[in-house]
Amino acid sequence: MNKGESMAKVYEPCTVEKQIYENWEANGYFKGVIDPEKKPFTIVIPPPNITGQLHMGHALDETLQDIIIRFKRMQGFSALWLPGTDHASIATEAKIVDALAKEGLTKEQIGREEFLKRAWDWKAKYGSRIVTQLRSLGSSCDWSRERFTMDEGLSKAVREVFVRLYNKGLIYKGERITNWCPCCNTSISDIEIEYSEDDGYFWHINYPFADGSGALTIATTRPETLLGDVAVAVNPEDEKYKDIIGKMLILPLVNKEIPVIADDYVELGFGTGAVKITPAHDPNDYEVGKRHDLPVIRIMDDKGFINENGGKYAGMERYAARKQIVEDLKAEGLLVKIEPHKHNVGHCQRCGTVLEPFVSNQWYVKMKPLAEPAIDAVRSGRIKFVPDRFAKTYYNWMENIQDWCISRQLWWGHRIPAYYCDECGHINVSREAPEKCECCGSTKLTQEQDTLDTWFSSALWPFSTLGWPDETPDLKYFYPTDVLVTGYDIIFFWVARMIFSACEQMGEVPFKTVLFHGLVRDSQGRKMSKSLGNGIDPLEVIDQFGTDALRFSLITGNSPGNDQRYLQEKVESARNFANKIWNATRFVLMNFDEDPDFTKVDPAKFTIEDKWILSAANRLVSEVTENLEKYELGVALSKVYDFVWDVYCDWYIEMVKPRLFDSTADNRLEAQFVLNEVLIKCMKLLHPFMPFVTEAIYQKLYKDAESIMISSWPQANEKYSYPEEEKAIDFIIDAIKKIRNIRHEMGVPSSRKAHVIAVTTDVSKAAILSKCEPILKNLGYCAGLTVQADNTGISKDAASISLPDASLFMPLEELIDIKKEIERLTQEKQNLENEINRISSKLSNENFVNKAPAQVVEGERAKLEKYRSIYENTANRLHDMLERG
RNA sequence: GGAAGUAUAGCUCAGCUGGUUAGAGCAUUCGCUUGACGUGCGAAAGGUCCAGAGUUCGAAUCUCUUUACUUCCACCA
């Protein structure tokens, strides 16, 4: 039994994938190694959350990166794909809090230390799950370098950056309006807000004038905030209210006097034209309050309950208080009307709770100075966005950036390295806990309770994972990284922040290219989500169809930055493709001699079809390489697919079958060589996309193969350039297709072979036809072929095929329907005429001939010549038939 | 309110810097135990490239306008 016969008839991914992956890893092929002889190529993984489960988005993201890194590795770069995970402060903390709740505990009850212990335990238990899942995608990450955003080194980097920014005055602590999630119990940054258009109400409320002269009507969507009102503002230009500016109003329910003030902020013509001002609970009001020097009265606590400033409402939950206040206003006759009102309400990105903006004391990063170099990094081209339209989104955000609230009232995360002096109140900010206050020398210091936004640490990922702030050899060699692959949905959260962090800390960009991909949606185009239950588990798909099939289906038809749909049919066809190449290999090996000695191959014995495919494979190599360099992964893949399936399997293999089956054939070894040569080239081109099946095949093709993943990327081989043979075989394929077409149309069974007569006066065409007789016989169902220069002996009822500079005649005896044949020829003649007219009018257009590139004009001329020749043949035959018929 | 994307065969999508008789997969129709594969082979049908205007010798491709859908940003109490 030879190697081919020992291969299963159907490729079964699940039987080989795991072992192949373990082999790669055990042999250290994934390792990024500092090699001064080689150029580095670096990718850092977008670290998945430790709370995460593998989803289709990861699958796409990982596949793209793996394709690029495998390609570069094969090209001879010292490739490093650095993996790791993110601590995901808010998401993880919520998990721990939930787990505690099940035990009837709160985090306050167990205290910070115990809480963190549990969090680390949780991380140890579940943090590796996602990493295991990434491996099943075939990811060739250097797992020996796996990092975690809260490991020792990265925490050091975080403290270093914090201290540096603080010392430069770019981090400050201040009292400002911040968005607060009463459910997660923490402040959040602006970009963590998700707005949605919600149904609400406009409550119109009368605020009576203190002097008893009537009332002023305001409208609000949050009536409970009136407890914190300190004024009512009107537009200074508003004729209606000119006279009341400066008058005092009685704040309902609170019974306190507040002034009517004038401020441009109030928009003319909107609502009642009078706006209650609650500086502690609204960012705009806060600004108005500052301008008018008004007090800031916070009336709600961190959990969303009315505080002691709320008088009799103190202790009530915010919505209960709202209801009560509306009722009380109604009772006092101050409620004018309630209007339904749609408005945008901010929700917590993580838990969906309606956010409460209020003043609190938080840490911020001053963004303006950081944004400028970051904008320049992209504008100058040092960082390239693919597709480049995302640069616009990026500029727009960066140019209008607000300061970044980085403190979180959470325990799981990097605790802010600020130490308050209990004696003098001075804030000591330092890398390590100071022994005494740098201001008064007191040793009584208390560390800040708050932790940092998760994204603060991931912003440092490209350099912190390489050892920064230490000047490590890794950092020197592998930084800056080459390409970052990520979804466009985190351009602000992560990409932008890495850019300004790197520019500030490293003085250099974090990566040279950012390749953005879109979302993987369900088959109906909906976002995959837990609540819809429409998510598809990549692991299940892998089990069923294989990793390669999943990867293939995600990449084919994918273009940068665009969303795509997940369709199972696509995975199925990808699986079929894996099976196809498996069987092509099986065929090749089944038809190998025992250990063919390719050193004995004589290129002089290459046939026309050997040269044709060697030449075509060369072009494929160049094109695919170029597409990959430009990150056109989907295009590259479909080119290999087409070549392997259509060109290699359906044509070349079929062409060489007779040679292989004839053990005495003189050039059998050459056929085996070419089959092998081209197949290996294709497998290498395909390997980044479909690593497992190509490895499995590679192992079959080579006796002592190490691994395809460390083999070298194919190069176009100049000695295999045969443009003439390529043209010749294209001519023959065209002829065969036409023969098959006619036979099918005439309903001729494939068992009935026809003796074909080729008529041509063109010497080179005659030669090609003669040379290709075996191919025509085999694939064109010919019993034999005669090539001659004139029409002698051609029966009137033979079916005819017009080719450039040649005609083929197929006597099919009684099977041919003359009427039908005349119809067919007439139609064909008409089609050709149309084409010829189109092209000749183009060529007779002086402007075209003068202005179009010579190559294009030449191309059109050649086309015209070809069609004319075919036309002539068709017209002659038609004429003949009509005459004789 | 601002910005962006998409619109190509029944479905899902390719088509790069303008020059193809406009492509693929799936589905459809017809035929095939052709010594690798029916997860296959062969053949076919199917498209005013959303609509309109412009630039050009030439537009699916570039510009503008319209329509439909999608997304992001901002946000008026």
Side-chain angles (χ1 to χ4, degrees), chain A residues 677-859:
Chain A
E677 175 79 10
V678 176
L679 182 59
I680 283 175
K681 254 186 194 163
C682 290
M683 290 308 101
K684 286 186 174 187
L685 293 178
L686 214 43
H687 177 257
F689 303 92
M690 308 180 88
F692 292 106
V693 68
T694 51
E695 180 72 278
I697 287 171
Y698 193 78
Q699 298 300 333
K700 298 277 179 199
L701 289 173
Y702 283 109
K703 208 160 49 175
D704 301 309
E706 205 175 344
S707 167
I708 193 171
M709 74 168 283
I710 52 161
S711 72
S712 60
W713 188 252
Q715 303 272 329
N717 187 341
E718 272 173 41
K719 76 179 181 212
Y720 295 149
S721 172
Y722 303 106
E724 285 310 311
E725 282 78 359
E726 283 199 64
K727 269 189 233 157
I729 291 291
D730 288 344
F731 170 78
I732 293 298
I733 286 178
D734 181 40
I736 291 171
K737 281 187 170 171
K738 283 177 167 164
I739 292 172
R740 287 168 173 176
N741 178 347
I742 287 185
R743 291 179 58 101
H744 188 263
E745 267 181 30
M746 305 276 175
V748 186
S750 50
S751 55
R752 181 185 291 262
K753 315 264 190 217
H755 186 95
V756 172
I757 300 169
V759 176
T760 180
T761 51
D762 183 306
V763 185
S764 70
K765 287 282 153 63
I768 291 167
L769 285 159
S770 302
K771 256 192 208 165
C772 294
E773 181 177 346
I775 298 173
L776 282 161
K777 270 166 120 171
N778 187 26
L779 303 183
Y781 311 102
C782 306
L785 177 76
T786 309
V787 183
Q788 59 189 50
D790 56 32
N791 280 352
T792 42
I794 292 177
S795 76
K796 67 167 186 187
D797 50 359
S800 71
I801 288 143
S802 308
L803 299 169
D805 308 318
S807 289
L808 302 182
F809 296 94
M810 256 190 317
L812 291 164
E813 296 163 19
E814 77 284 357
L815 288 163
I816 189 154
D817 179 338
I818 307 241
K819 228 177 102 190
K820 217 169 147 189
E821 180 68 357
I822 288 174
E823 241 171 62
R824 188 182 68 82
L825 287 169
T826 314
Q827 185 58 54
E828 188 182 308
K829 186 174 155 230
Q830 186 59 52
N831 290 348
L832 286 162
E833 229 167 66
N834 294 345
E835 268 314 293
I836 287 165
N837 288 341
R838 198 181 58 81
I839 300 171
S840 7
S841 72
K842 210 172 185 180
L843 282 167
S844 60
N845 181 339
E846 264 180 52
N847 279 322
F848 172 71
V849 180
N850 294 335
K851 291 186 185 172
Q855 224 183 346
V856 173
V857 178
E858 212 26 68

Side-chain angles (χ1 to χ4, degrees), chain A residues 4 23 290 532 869:
Chain A
N23 239 345
K290 267 212 293 213
L532 275 172
S869 160

Side-chain angles (χ1 to χ4, degrees), chain A residues 72 93 185 255 289 392 399 443 537 656 693 794 816 858:
Chain A
K72 289 291 164 184
E93 177 140 342
N185 242 300
N255 291 319
K392 236 181 216 175
E399 280 160 4
T443 54
D537 183 354
V656 297
V693 68
I794 292 177
I816 189 154
E858 212 26 68

Side-chain angles (χ1 to χ4, degrees), chain A residues 368-378 382 394 499-500 503-504:
Chain A
K368 274 273 175 293
L370 292 169
E372 273 170 40
I375 291 169
D376 185 60
V378 178
R382 279 173 293 147
Y394 171 81
I499 295 175
F500 69 67
C503 290
E504 170 68 17

